[in-house]
Every structure is written in C-alpha cells, then in structure tokens.
Amino acid sequence: MNDFERQMQQVLRRSERDIDDQTIQELASARTAALSARNKQRVPRFFVPATGMALASILAVVLIMSPDMMERTNTSGGQEEVLLGESMDLYEDMDFYYWLAREDSNLQG
C-alpha cells in the first residue's frame, strides 16, 4: 500500500469511530428495512422451474402446431391462381416470346 492509501484508510477509520449514536441508529434501521424489503421480493424456489416448464410446453405446442399452420397458408394460394390464371400462362411462355423477339429481328421480308 502506498502512503496515500494508508492516509485515506486512517481517515476513514477515524471517521467511522467518530460517528454519533443517532447516525448509528439511523444506519441500523435503514439496513434492517433494506434487508426486510429484499426478503419480501424474493421469488419462491418452485417458481423458477415451473416457469421454465411452462415456457417449454408453450414452445412444444407451437412447434407441433406449426406444420398445420403451414398447410393452411399453402391451401389459400389456390384463390390467387384462379385470379391470375390467364396472366400466368403469359409468364410460363416467356422463353418463347424472347426467342420470337430474337428471330423477328433476323427475319427478312
């Protein structure tokens, strides 16, 4: 320890010894109140594993039910195909239209 640390330690020890009785009582009552408040906020020991089990159960249900949810979203795509039926044929034949455009520029007549 260097000299500064020793001096500070002596100052703190001296101020600790010179505390009046009223301040000591106030500090003790504040400590007691803080400890009792901490004990009231403590979570029961069974609560942590119970919460973990509940979360694991919810996760399992979500994972089990998710394939059903995917099937429901895939079956709703049929309505879009009916609405876009004719325009979908246009997109399917896009390679033909590209070929036609290339050949059209080579045609003479």
Side-chain angles (χ1 to χ4, degrees), residues 89-104:
D89 292 335
L90 174 73
Y91 292 118
E92 289 175 0
D93 296 330
M94 204 55 119
D95 290 332
F96 170 73
Y97 294 118
Y98 286 133
W99 174 82
L100 186 62
R102 283 192 307 262
E103 293 299 318
D104 188 33

Side-chain angles (χ1 to χ4, degrees), residues 1-59:
M1 237 193 263
N2 62 23
D3 291 334
F4 176 74
E5 290 176 350
R6 283 191 193 106
Q7 283 179 329
M8 290 307 300
Q9 187 178 24
Q10 290 172 358
V11 169
L12 289 173
R13 298 280 185 212
R14 199 174 318 123
S15 66
E16 188 178 278
R17 278 182 268 146
D18 294 341
I19 294 177
D20 60 315
D21 290 336
Q22 183 180 354
T23 306
I24 291 174
Q25 288 176 353
E26 289 174 3
L27 287 172
S29 64
R31 180 179 184 273
T32 304
L35 288 174
S36 66
R38 189 181 105 196
N39 289 337
K40 288 179 186 177
Q41 295 175 355
R42 182 168 285 166
V43 177
R45 295 184 127 209
F46 72 89
F47 188 68
V48 175
T51 303
M53 289 298 290
L55 289 175
S57 300
I58 291 171
L59 181 64

